């Protein structure tokens, strides 16, 4: 019903026509391009929740049209251009695969501002923004090492891109900080979203003896399997506690809302500038879901780690860290550079998997 | 429960929806109709099963709803291709597009909700038998339905008069019509049976396999089911073998990865498809047997002239 | 009430044009009802779907970009389907064509001259043909069902592309993201009218190929052979036409078209190889072939119409806030109505009331 009303409002606004756009009280148009469906339960849904928070924050001062299921690649360019021409002042393109298309359209529309998620290119009117998901994964690793009896965790991966590799490495480092012998088994399902396959991967990992599961795919299927088999698991992208009330230890929750509100405010104030943002727990672009189903000491440790990351005291990728083959990556006290992290394509020591090269 | 049983159970769960949908499509194709819309009917069954199970709180009613939605969707196909003699390939593909759209519209409010799972059977003593116990006596009810379907359809097609008639229609609808057989009525029923099976397979996905609703959750399984029918050269027992082989390879590649075997995961993901092609080539070596079983009228429209 | 089809003595020529229009008209009515029921102004929704995408020049260019691969593959598939070769793997052939064509600028980035682009197109065609050759060979030699093998090979091609873009062909300057290096200028298909929009000469290639195939089918002996083998295999055997050769001919032709579509997509709008080349164009092309009455010229019209519904769906989302789900349902409705109305070409429909009268006619 609410959606219907928003839709009607959109129709009404449209029928007023472009003539009205000169009026001062005309709502500012902030537009969103989604790679998936806004009810996908994962990545796109997290962005859409951010959009709803943004809409709620500014009320009728802004409009937030969006378009779902936009295929990555050349088709996206037409969609972004249609938005740019329809009077959007600020356009968020929320998938890596929209990067070059965003850059191309931005060049043709210098007066429109663009924000591209999880890429690396920027220009005068294009900002890139990203979240340090790996900070959360370090905490997951610590909890896993404390909770697991067998010392082996299972990791369901989507695609071997740097973001996912960062997560695997951070998880491993977190786990090793508690138990240096901790092992990680990785299974790639080559999909962001295939509930059946994710469930199968979860079962395969459990059958091979892991007693804790974590995932970098978007469906709640692995959580359900973990609940059924009586082991613990971590949620991804959103709080998945509903799928495993007695299973979820915590979850990494993507919270884009605050960032969106800030950037729209910047545009309104005339202070918007192109930048390259890579925020983390400290800035609140990701949050940890409540720590549940774990003993108090584990919870205390997780909270302490979280606080240390937020205060900047702890950086997950700080030496000494060896690469998978045993060679030194980071010397004692050395911190990884963002440039290296953004293109991360190797594992740290202790990961039981081969990264496709 | 040991590791072997656990793996076998996983394979059974992965194979069951493929098996059910393929058995339904087998009957459809035996009647001479090619319905490429299995994916669309399946996803409708999945959403219908989940939504109704959530609203009523009873997964069994959900199963019935899944079947009903599969049948309703298939009727759309039947009306176009049988009553209006529209092209079956194009209609089937369009049915998939429509099914994926309608299902995501229907399920919009239900994404991310925890589902009602259809529980596994549990017989005292029997289920606890080593190895065979959980496999034979401890699975979900739809697993047993799928096995029963294989034997039932096999018996129906090759041991009953009606089954013989159905096959004769698939082999030559003109002579069947000349003999006074109501060709279109048979085909309508066959298509509806296919729809019911596809719907049930979808229901298995959203009520047993992964008790939740997500858009496009069939993720191409309808197409695999279609492939299995041809793979099985239209024999029910071979559909059973094919579905389990496919399930075994799919699960096996995940285990290979978990063991840390250094093979590109893309190759492992493609393995089930490659295996299907290889087995298919081996089977079709036996050209005579394949030809006997292929419904000659497959995909051809029939319009009774009077 | 019963519905009866009465075969016309010959296909009704008027209906060939009227039936899709009637189908579209009925779909519009059904769509208007659906939009009203969902609380959207139906006139605005239909305007967004069908007029808005072609009301501005840049958007017409977008239409041509989308239509080009659909027309190209649809036209090739017409030959396949007319000769009873059920190639539903055009998507895979398109992907392999894209990989083959992209090999030149990716592996030899320093070779930059005017020869590169024609070579890429030829490589693309060869890649598609090679991939179409597999199901053709399996069908001709082992009688393996081509529907299945061509479909299975689509998944294999997707995984091959995925692996190659993430592994060996990954862009050395791309921060390890899954994409190849960007093609240099010589390896790009130029845009037709850069001042107005992005459409490139790929669209013209698609039209030329479709017309050539249409002429071949209508006028040449080969075209006659295709039709005879498709409609009456026995007569074809009698006339000395070789059905086995036709398997190869049609698969290589459709595969070549798909491969060309693949490299046009990559060298045209995209400019690099990415983990997905096509959002399912190869499957949509099957519908294009049928909506076009298995006639390559018809595929041009059908390809444009289908591309329009895709763009219309996007326009309706942007200007009306119509959800993507509703757009997809509407697209399905259009297809169903047009397919249903096709019946009128070959048949008259009669509704009879009461019980069936056996032997009445």
């Amino acid at each position: 019903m609410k959606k219907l009303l928003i839709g009607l409002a959109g129709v009404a606004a449209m029928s007023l026509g472009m003539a009205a756009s000169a009026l001062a009280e005309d709502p500012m148009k902030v537009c969103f391009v989604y790679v998936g469906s806004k009810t996908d339960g994962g990545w796109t849904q997290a962005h859409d929740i951010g959009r709803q928070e943004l809409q709620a924050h500014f009320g009728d001062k802004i409009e937030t049209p969006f378009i779902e299921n936009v295929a990555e690649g050349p088709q996206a360019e037409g969609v972004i251009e249609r938005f740019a021409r329809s009077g959007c002042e600020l356009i968020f393109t929320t998938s890596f695969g929209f990067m070059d298309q965003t850059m191309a359209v931005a060049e043709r529309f210098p007066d429109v501002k663009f924000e591209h998620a999880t890429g690396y290119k920027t220009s005068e009117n294009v900002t890139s923004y990203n979240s340090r998901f790996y900070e959360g994964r370090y905490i997951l690793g610590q909890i896993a090492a404390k909770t697991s009896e067998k010392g082996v965790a299972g990791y369901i991966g989507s695609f071997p891109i740097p973001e996912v590799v960062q997560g695997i490495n951070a998880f491993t480092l977190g786990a090793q900080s508690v138990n240096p012998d901790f092992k990680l088994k990785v299974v790639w399902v080559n999909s962001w979203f295939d509930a059946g396959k994710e469930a199968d991967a979860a079962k395969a990992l459990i059958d091979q003896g892991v007693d804790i599961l974590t995932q970098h795919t978007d469906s709640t299927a692995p959580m359900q399997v973990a609940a059924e088999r009586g082991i613990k698991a971590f949620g991804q992208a959103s709080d998945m506690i509903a799928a495993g009330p007695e299973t979820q230890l915590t979850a990494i929750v993507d919270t884009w809302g605050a960032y969106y509100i800030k950037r729209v405010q910047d545009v309104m104030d005339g202070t918007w500038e192109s930048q390259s943002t890579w925020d983390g727990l400290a800035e609140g672009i990701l949050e940890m879901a409540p720590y549940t189903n774990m003993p108090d000491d584990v919870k205390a440790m997780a909270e302490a780690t979280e606080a240390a990351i937020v205060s900047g005291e702890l950086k997950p990728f700080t030496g000494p860290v060896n690469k998978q083959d045993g060679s030194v990556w980071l010397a004692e006290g050395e911190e990884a550079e963002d440039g290296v992290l953004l293109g991360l394509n190797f594992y740290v020591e202790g990961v039981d998997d081969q990264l496709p090269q | 429960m040991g590791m072997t049983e656990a793996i076998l159970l996983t394979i059974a769960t992965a194979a069951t929806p493929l098996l059910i949908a393929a058995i339904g499509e087998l009957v459809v194709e035996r009647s001479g109709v090619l319905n490429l819309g299995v994916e669309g009917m399946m996803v409708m069954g999945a959403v219908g099963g989940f939504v109704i199970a959530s609203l009523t709180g009873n997964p069994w009613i959900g199963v019935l709803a899944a079947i009903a939605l599969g049948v309703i969707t298939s009727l759309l196909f039947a009306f176009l291709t049988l009553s209006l003699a529209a092209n079956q390939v194009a209609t089937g593909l369009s049915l998939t597009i429509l099914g994926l759209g309608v299902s995501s519209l229907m399920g919009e409010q239900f994404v991310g909700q925890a589902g009602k799972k259809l529980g596994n059977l549990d017989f005292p003593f029997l289920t606890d038998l080593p190895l065979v116990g959980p496999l034979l006596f401890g699975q979900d009810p739809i697993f047993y339905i799928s096995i029963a379907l294989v034997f039932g359809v096999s018996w129906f097609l090759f041991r009953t008069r009606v089954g013989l008639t159905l096959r004769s229609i698939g082999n030559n609808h003109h002579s069947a019509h000349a003999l006074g057989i109501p060709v279109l009525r048979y085909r309508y029923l066959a298509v509806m049976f296919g729809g019911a099976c596809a719907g049930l397979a979808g229901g298995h996905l959203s009520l047993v396999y992964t008790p939740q609703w997500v858009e496009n959750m069939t993720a191409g399984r309808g197409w695999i089911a279609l492939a299995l029918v041809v793979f099985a050269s239209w024999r029910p027992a071979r559909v059973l073998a094919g579905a389990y082989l496919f399930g075994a390879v799919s699960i096996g590649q995940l285990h290979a990865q978990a063991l840390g075997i250094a093979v590109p995961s893309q190759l492992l993901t493609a393995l089930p498809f490659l295996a299907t092609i290889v087995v298919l080539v081996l089977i079709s070596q036996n050209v005579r047997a394949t030809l006997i079983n292929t419904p000659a009228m497959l995909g051809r429209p029939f319009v009774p002239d009077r | 009430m019963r519905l009866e089809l009465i075969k016309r003595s010959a296909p009704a020529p008027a209906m060939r044009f009227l039936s899709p229009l009637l189908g579209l008209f009925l779909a519009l009515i059904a769509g208007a009802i659906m939009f009203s029921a969902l609380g959207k102004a139906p006139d605005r929704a239909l305007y967004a779907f069908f007029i808005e995408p072609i009301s501005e020049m840049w958007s017409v260019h977008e239409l041509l970009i989308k239509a080009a691969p659909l027309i190209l593959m649809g036209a090739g598939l017409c030959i396949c389907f007319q000769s009873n070769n059920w190639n539903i793997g055009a998507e895979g052939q398109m992907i392999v064509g894209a990989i083959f064509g992209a090999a030149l600028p990716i592996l030899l980035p320093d070779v930059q001259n005017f020869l590169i682009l024609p070579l890429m197109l030829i490589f693309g065609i060869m890649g598609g043909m090679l991939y179409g050759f597999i199901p053709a060979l399996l069908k001709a030699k082992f009688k393996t069902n081509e529907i299945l093998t061509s479909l299975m090979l689509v998944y294999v091609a997707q995984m091959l592309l995925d692996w190659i873009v993430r592994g060996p062909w990954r862009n050395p300057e791309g921060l390890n993201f899954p994409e190849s290096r960007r093609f240099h200028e010589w390896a790009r298909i130029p845009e037709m009218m850069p001042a107005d929009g992005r459409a490139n000469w790929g669209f013209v290639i698609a039209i030329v190929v479709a017309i050539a195939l249409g002429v071949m089918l209508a006028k040449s002996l080969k075209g006659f052979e295709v039709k005879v083998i498709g409609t009456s295999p026995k007569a074809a055997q009698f006339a000395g036409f070789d059905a086995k050769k036709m398997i190869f001919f049609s698969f290589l032709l459709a595969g070549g078209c798909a491969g060309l579509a693949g490299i046009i997509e990559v060298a045209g709008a995209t400019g690099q190889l990415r983990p997905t080349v096509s959002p399912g164009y190869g499957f949509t092309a099957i519908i294009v072939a049928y909506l076009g009455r298995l006639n390559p010229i018809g595929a041009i019209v059908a390809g444009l119409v289908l591309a329009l519904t895709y763009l219309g769906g996007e326009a309706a989302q942007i200007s009306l806030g119509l959800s993507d789900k509703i757009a997809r349902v509407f697209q399905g409705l259009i297809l169903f109505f047009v397919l249903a109305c096709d019946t009128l070409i070959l048949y008259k429909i009669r509704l009879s009331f009461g019980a069936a009268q056996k032997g009445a006619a």
Side-chain angles (χ1 to χ4, degrees):
Chain A
M1 198 60 214
K2 198 170 129 212
K3 234 167 289 155
L4 209 140
L5 286 174
I6 293 172
L8 278 172
V11 174
M14 275 308 296
S15 50
L16 286 174
M18 293 304 174
S21 65
L23 294 175
E25 65 268 31
D26 206 44
M28 171 182 164
K29 250 175 130 176
V30 183
C31 308
F32 289 81
V33 182
Y34 295 151
V35 69
S37 158
K38 71 183 167 83
T39 45
D40 68 357
W43 178 254
T44 296
Q45 186 161 350
H47 284 283
D48 197 61
I49 290 169
R51 181 191 64 80
Q52 290 168 22
E53 287 171 16
L54 174 72
Q55 180 76 65
H57 181 84
F58 288 105
D60 52 10
K61 277 197 275 182
I62 59 164
E63 266 174 39
T64 55
F66 58 89
I67 179 163
E68 301 169 79
N69 289 319
V70 177
E72 298 187 334
Q75 294 76 32
E77 192 167 330
V79 174
I80 300 169
E81 175 151 2
R82 197 174 292 282
F83 258 145
R85 285 173 182 271
S86 79
C88 302
E89 286 179 56
L90 181 61
I91 301 176
F92 290 97
T93 54
T94 62
S95 183
F96 167 72
F98 299 149
M99 182 171 64
D100 290 317
Q101 288 69 36
T102 307
M103 298 302 292
V105 179
E107 209 182 310
R108 291 198 289 274
F109 294 86
D111 297 336
V112 181
K113 298 172 177 63
F114 297 83
E115 300 240 356
H116 173 250
T118 68
Y120 54 84
K121 292 186 186 168
T122 57
S123 74
E124 192 80 337
N125 58 335
V126 181
T127 276
S128 85
Y129 64 104
N130 203 347
S131 166
R132 294 181 193 266
F133 305 109
Y134 68 84
E135 293 182 346
R137 300 218 173 251
Y138 186 86
I139 305 175
L140 302 191
Q142 283 196 328
I143 299 172
K146 275 269 190 201
T147 319
S148 167
E149 282 165 23
K150 298 181 184 167
V152 194
Y155 206 110
I156 302 170
S158 49
F159 294 102
I161 57 172
E163 177 193 319
V164 180
V165 177
Q166 287 159 18
I168 293 174
N169 284 337
F171 186 94
T172 309
L173 292 177
Q176 286 171 350
S177 73
V178 174
N179 170 5
D181 297 326
F182 198 81
K183 287 275 176 284
L184 191 62
K185 281 179 183 290
V186 184
V187 168
W188 299 98
V189 292
N190 283 313
S191 166
W192 282 107
F193 214 99
D194 180 343
K197 217 162 157 190
E198 290 169 48
D200 289 343
K203 290 175 192 168
L205 284 165
I206 297 170
D207 290 344
Q208 294 213 1
V210 312
D211 63 355
I212 202 151
L213 265 186
T214 186
Q215 61 183 86
H216 207 141
T217 52
D218 286 346
S219 94
T220 53
M223 183 67 68
Q224 286 179 329
V225 170
E228 218 176 285
R229 298 284 187 94
I231 68 164
K232 298 281 188 269
F234 299 105
Q236 142 78 8
S238 53
D239 194 343
M240 295 179 171
I241 191 82
E246 271 140 48
T247 305
Q248 178 177 292
L249 294 162
T250 180
I252 298 171
V253 184
D254 304 351
T255 45
W256 304 101
Y259 179 75
Y260 289 152
I261 291 170
K262 180 176 168 299
R263 296 303 279 170
V264 169
Q265 190 66 52
D266 285 349
V267 174
M268 289 179 167
D269 299 346
T271 53
W272 190 94
E273 269 179 10
S274 167
Q275 61 185 48
S276 188
T277 311
W278 200 11
D279 288 347
L281 282 168
E283 295 84 359
I285 204 161
L286 75 149
E287 281 171 8
M288 306 305 291
Y291 299 106
T292 48
N293 299 314
M294 62 179 84
D296 286 342
D297 61 320
V298 182
K299 188 177 171 183
M301 174 202 68
E303 281 166 348
T305 307
E306 189 182 339
I309 292 177
V310 168
S311 71
E313 200 179 306
L314 175 73
K315 295 217 186 308
F317 291 111
T318 305
V321 176
N322 286 349
K323 293 186 184 179
Q324 193 176 26
D325 58 11
S327 63
V328 175
W329 173 28
L330 301 171
E332 177 82 43
E334 187 189 352
E335 286 174 16
E337 289 169 34
D338 279 358
V340 177
L341 288 182
L342 276 173
L344 203 61
N345 72 331
F346 54 84
Y347 286 137
V348 297
E349 223 170 9
V351 182
D352 187 14
D353 184 50
Q354 294 290 319
L355 201 58
Q357 288 299 327
Chain B
M1 194 166 62
M3 181 160 156
T4 321
E5 287 112 305
I7 293 175
L8 290 175
L9 277 176
T10 308
I11 292 172
T13 309
T16 298
L18 302 176
L19 176 58
I20 296 174
I23 280 287
E25 177 68 12
L26 184 142
V27 173
V28 180
E29 291 188 15
R30 277 285 186 174
S31 81
V33 178
L34 179 65
N35 184 355
L36 293 182
V38 179
E39 180 89 359
M41 301 186 294
M42 206 163 161
V43 77
M44 288 294 284
V47 75
F50 185 86
V51 168
I52 298 300
S54 295
L55 293 179
T56 60
N58 184 337
W60 278 106
I61 301 179
V63 170
L64 293 179
I67 295 173
L69 247 87
V71 173
I72 292 169
T73 316
S74 74
L75 276 173
L76 208 57
F77 173 86
F79 178 71
L80 253 75
T81 56
L82 301 178
S83 292
L84 294 179
N87 179 279
Q88 295 175 7
V89 173
T91 310
L93 289 168
S94 305
L95 191 71
T96 297
I97 294 180
L98 190 72
L100 290 173
V102 173
S103 62
S104 46
L105 199 61
M106 281 173 63
E108 208 170 357
Q109 310 298 331
F110 293 86
V111 174
Q113 289 187 12
K116 286 264 173 258
K117 186 175 165 140
L118 204 57
N120 288 355
L121 295 192
D122 192 6
F123 296 102
F125 181 64
L126 284 178
T127 308
D128 300 328
L129 287 175
L131 202 61
V132 294
L135 274 182
L136 293 182
F137 304 109
Q139 299 213 45
D140 63 274
I142 297 180
F143 164 80
Y144 301 98
I145 297 176
S146 76
I147 302 298
L149 272 173
V150 175
F151 290 103
V153 164
S154 189
W155 170 80
F156 164 78
L157 282 177
F158 301 105
R159 293 279 180 273
T160 68
R161 208 177 168 77
V162 186
L164 178 70
T165 312
L166 187 86
R167 285 189 292 136
S168 73
I169 292 172
N171 284 328
N172 192 335
H173 46 222
H174 296 298
S175 51
H177 178 65
L179 289 170
I181 297 168
V183 171
L184 291 183
R185 189 181 306 163
Y186 268 85
R187 286 192 170 164
Y188 253 98
L189 290 171
V191 168
M192 285 163 71
F193 177 76
C197 287
L200 178 63
H204 180 271
L205 286 180
S206 66
L207 294 168
V208 177
Y209 201 149
T210 51
Q212 55 178 296
W213 163 250
V214 286
E215 270 171 46
N216 301 357
M217 74 181 294
T218 41
R221 288 180 179 80
W223 296 103
I224 312 279
L226 271 167
L228 283 174
V229 180
V230 192
F231 169 91
S233 51
W234 294 273
R235 309 282 301 191
R238 289 192 193 153
V239 171
L240 179 72
Y244 275 79
L245 181 73
F246 193 89
V249 179
S250 311
I251 303 301
Q253 69 98 354
L254 294 172
H255 275 277
Q257 285 195 48
L259 284 171
I261 294 172
V263 179
S265 66
Q266 291 95 341
L267 177 63
L268 293 173
T269 308
L271 208 58
F273 304 107
L274 286 168
T276 311
I277 294 175
V278 171
V279 176
L280 187 74
V281 169
L282 294 177
I283 284 180
S284 48
Q285 294 281 30
N286 192 348
V287 172
R288 220 163 53 91
T290 310
L291 281 185
I292 289 173
N293 284 314
T294 309
M297 296 293 119
L298 194 59
R300 307 246 178 104
F302 172 73
V303 176
D305 44 346
R306 2 182 45 240
Chain C
M1 195 179 83
R2 282 168 70 85
L3 185 146
E4 275 175 49
L5 299 184
I6 297 154
K7 201 170 175 72
R8 296 180 195 271
S9 46
M15 277 302 166
R16 290 182 88 90
F17 299 99
L18 285 179
S19 83
L21 291 179
L22 179 67
L24 212 56
F25 177 69
L26 292 175
L28 290 186
I29 295 179
I33 295 172
M34 181 180 77
F35 294 133
S36 311
L38 291 162
K40 308 276 173 193
D43 52 332
R44 289 228 23 104
L46 295 178
Y47 176 85
F49 248 95
F50 294 102
I51 311 292
E52 205 177 307
I54 46 173
S55 63
E56 280 178 286
M57 202 54 205
W58 76 273
S59 188
V60 173
H61 278 252
E62 295 296 318
L63 180 75
L64 303 188
I65 293 176
K66 265 206 164 61
L70 293 178
I71 292 171
L72 205 43
M73 284 193 281
L77 289 178
C78 289
I79 312 290
C80 264
F81 296 161
Q82 281 226 9
S83 65
N84 267 342
N85 286 299
W86 303 95
N87 175 12
I88 56 174
E91 180 87 359
Q93 292 144 22
M94 178 178 176
I95 293 172
V96 174
I99 296 176
F100 268 59
L104 281 171
I106 292 174
L107 297 180
L108 305 168
D110 299 326
V111 183
Q112 303 191 4
N113 57 45
F114 68 94
L115 274 176
I116 283 291
L117 187 61
L119 275 176
M120 283 166 69
L121 296 183
I122 292 169
F123 268 54
I125 295 171
M126 278 168 35
M129 286 170 89
L130 194 72
Y131 216 57
F133 179 75
I134 302 173
L137 179 74
L138 295 180
K139 179 181 182 184
K141 199 152 170 64
F142 305 114
K143 289 201 162 42
T144 312
N145 185 295
E146 73 275 22
I147 296 183
L148 171 59
T149 50
S150 60
L151 178 66
M152 293 283 112
L153 285 170
V154 173
Y155 300 114
V156 177
Q158 283 169 344
M159 286 302 145
L160 175 70
L161 172 67
D162 197 81
W163 171 72
I164 211 160
V165 187
R166 290 173 201 282
W169 288 7
R170 193 169 44 194
N171 184 1
E173 285 115 49
L175 289 175
N176 293 312
F177 276 97
E179 53 183 25
S180 78
R181 67 168 82 238
R182 292 196 70 80
F183 299 175
H184 52 78
E185 276 311 303
W186 288 104
R188 297 293 301 272
I189 300 176
E191 292 177 356
M192 285 192 285
M193 291 172 274
D196 292 336
R198 297 194 298 137
N200 58 57
W201 290 98
F203 179 75
V204 177
I205 297 177
I207 297 292
V208 170
V209 170
I211 291 175
L213 289 179
V215 171
M216 182 206 82
L217 202 56
K219 303 280 185 217
S220 74
L221 180 65
K222 197 74 191 173
F224 180 65
E225 192 182 328
V226 167
K227 284 182 270 187
V228 173
I229 287 182
T231 44
S232 53
K234 285 219 176 79
Q237 210 171 6
F238 202 67
F241 294 149
D242 189 340
K244 253 190 194 168
K245 277 191 185 150
M246 181 53 70
I247 298 175
F248 287 105
F249 176 76
S250 65
F251 263 92
L252 292 182
L253 189 92
C257 285
L260 183 59
I263 187 60
I264 285 178
E265 186 73 3
V266 170
T270 323
Q272 67 183 159
L273 213 52
R274 304 177 40 83
T276 47
V277 164
S278 142
Y281 284 148
F283 295 110
T284 314
I286 300 172
I287 301 175
V288 167
Y290 276 103
L291 287 183
R293 314 263 179 293
L294 297 189
N295 176 340
I297 309 290
I300 298 178
V301 181
L304 285 167
V305 170
L306 236 76
L308 180 64
T309 64
Y310 277 109
L311 276 186
E314 290 168 3
Q317 284 189 70
I318 287 177
S319 61
L320 280 188
L322 201 77
S323 95
D324 160 72
K325 300 160 178 89
I326 300 170
R328 274 187 287 164
V329 172
F330 185 50
Q331 201 178 23
L333 279 181
I334 295 175
L335 293 173
F336 266 102
F337 277 107
V338 173
L339 285 170
C341 288
D342 262 12
T343 311
L344 294 171
I345 299 172
L346 293 173
Y347 306 97
K348 281 186 242 179
I349 292 180
R350 192 165 72 189
L351 291 174
S352 56
F353 296 88
Q357 302 154 0
K358 284 247 154 110

